Amino acid sequence: MKQRIQGRRATPDPAAAAAVLKRKTRQRPVLGLVLGSGFGATAQALDNVESLPYAALPGFPRPSVSGHAGKLMLGQLAETPVLVLSGRAHYYEGHTLDEVTFAMRVLAAFGVTDVLLTNAAGGVNARFRPGDFMLLRDHINFMGVNPLRGPAPPGRPRFVDLTQTYDASLSDLLRRAARAARLRLREGVYLAVSGPTYETPAEVRAFARWGADAVGMSTVPEAIVARQCGLRVAGVSCITNLAAGRSPQPLSHAEVLVIAERGAQRAVALLKNFARLYGKK
Ligand code: HPA
């Protein structure tokens, strides 16, 4: 069923997509994982997998970036039931934020209660190195848009408190997961830009002054919508490069993918430990 909201394009109904999903699987995980660049290999670590291309779910946009597959998977990660979004749609691809965040609404309608959002990001903090992981403590929305603009869906709050966007207990599980994997987990503030350009060095200097530690082109819209839906949220970045002007080299997507690939097994270990600890809590 399509909902028509005055002045906006007809938006697909998350409950309808969740109903399709419920018909396709008997699995009912409460933990959702969004795999961004650097975390994609986690999809291969799932047991008892059932997988659906996004195209099979009404309203799901199709991601087009290399390194982003575009399927919804259900299975167990370290024996914990999980729902995995392998690949995401980005604002810079031309999708609306309604499309970019639609999956969060579907997950909430499906019964997911907790989501871990992962991404690749550039290091703004001078101490960060490519290959580091960073737990999101907070974010700065510098995309110039907000996914909650327009009428609030029925039953959802109009004004959403973001004082504690990233859940303390899920964040603590990530710290413990990193320790168990013998990984150093940095912590900091993720600043989201719309992209698709990388930043200028002047922007990166400005972002550092604002308190940003990493910069990327995703995650924040999903975190905001997830909070509106009452989901608990955690976030982790793979620092794939030093942000513009922080190193003498120019930035390239190829470099981002190479570092992401190199960190893949550590990323899998981190997420597996997280899932294991989540299952025990
Ligand atoms: N800037 C923005 N997004 C990114 C970067 C970056 O340096 N690296 C990976 N995603």
Side-chain angles (χ1 to χ4, degrees):
M1 187 192 68
K2 299 239 174 183
Q3 259 179 303
R4 189 166 288 282
I5 300 172
Q6 208 186 3
R8 299 177 104 197
R9 253 194 279 173
T11 48
D13 179 8
V20 169
L21 188 54
K22 282 180 185 169
R23 279 199 296 276
K24 302 242 185 210
T25 178
R26 298 165 72 127
Q27 301 191 52
R28 295 290 182 272
V30 292
L31 175 62
L33 306 174
V34 179
L35 305 182
S37 307
F39 295 86
T42 309
Q44 284 112 58
L46 294 176
D47 300 311
N48 305 318
V49 185
E50 289 177 285
S51 157
L52 268 175
Y54 288 162
L57 291 160
F60 262 65
R62 293 169 214 173
S64 63
V65 191
S66 60
H68 292 273
K71 57 186 172 182
L72 187 154
M73 304 166 89
L74 298 121
Q76 283 98 49
L77 184 62
E79 291 173 21
T80 299
V82 290
L83 183 158
V84 171
L85 295 175
S86 180
R88 57 151 66 86
H90 296 85
Y91 187 56
Y92 61 74
E93 292 173 80
H95 300 293
T96 65
L97 284 191
D98 282 345
E99 290 166 339
V100 166
T101 59
F102 182 68
M104 294 299 108
R105 300 195 185 281
V106 175
L107 263 52
F110 182 68
V112 164
T113 57
D114 300 64
V115 282
L116 173 60
L117 305 172
T118 68
N119 61 55
V124 172
N125 185 315
R127 284 195 289 270
F128 288 7
R129 295 287 165 263
D132 281 353
F133 291 96
M134 185 191 87
L135 174 72
L136 273 67
R137 279 224 192 114
D138 203 349
H139 73 230
I140 296 171
N141 181 7
F142 193 61
M143 293 183 106
V145 281
N146 191 296
L148 304 189
R149 180 169 176 268
R156 300 293 187 211
R158 159 77 302 177
F159 299 104
V160 175
D161 175 33
L162 296 179
T163 310
Q164 181 64 264
T165 309
Y166 300 92
D167 183 79
S169 61
L170 291 179
S171 297
D172 217 47
L173 285 187
L174 270 166
R175 292 187 189 100
R176 287 171 54 198
R179 241 177 278 138
R182 298 175 173 279
L183 289 179
R184 183 164 60 181
L185 186 61
R186 309 278 200 166
E187 300 198 9
V189 173
Y190 174 94
L191 182 145
V193 292
S194 69
T197 56
Y198 289 114
E199 301 65 47
T200 65
E203 286 165 346
V204 171
R205 286 194 298 274
F207 296 165
R209 288 185 170 213
W210 292 352
D213 297 290
V215 56
M217 305 176 191
S218 70
T219 303
V220 162
E222 290 139 297
I224 292 171
V225 169
R227 289 304 302 140
Q228 187 189 42
C229 295
L231 301 176
R232 278 185 291 263
V233 177
V236 65
S237 297
C238 171
I239 305 296
T240 48
N241 57 282
L242 302 182
R246 292 292 202 232
S247 96
Q249 285 147 297
L251 301 189
S252 75
H253 184 57
E255 177 203 355
V256 167
L257 291 182
V258 165
I259 298 294
E261 183 60 37
R262 225 178 268 165
Q265 286 322 305
R266 290 181 303 135
V268 173
L270 179 63
L271 266 48
K272 264 182 140 176
N273 286 344
F274 173 77
R276 185 181 301 116
L277 292 167
Y278 180 91
K280 283 193 199 143
K281 80 172 167 47

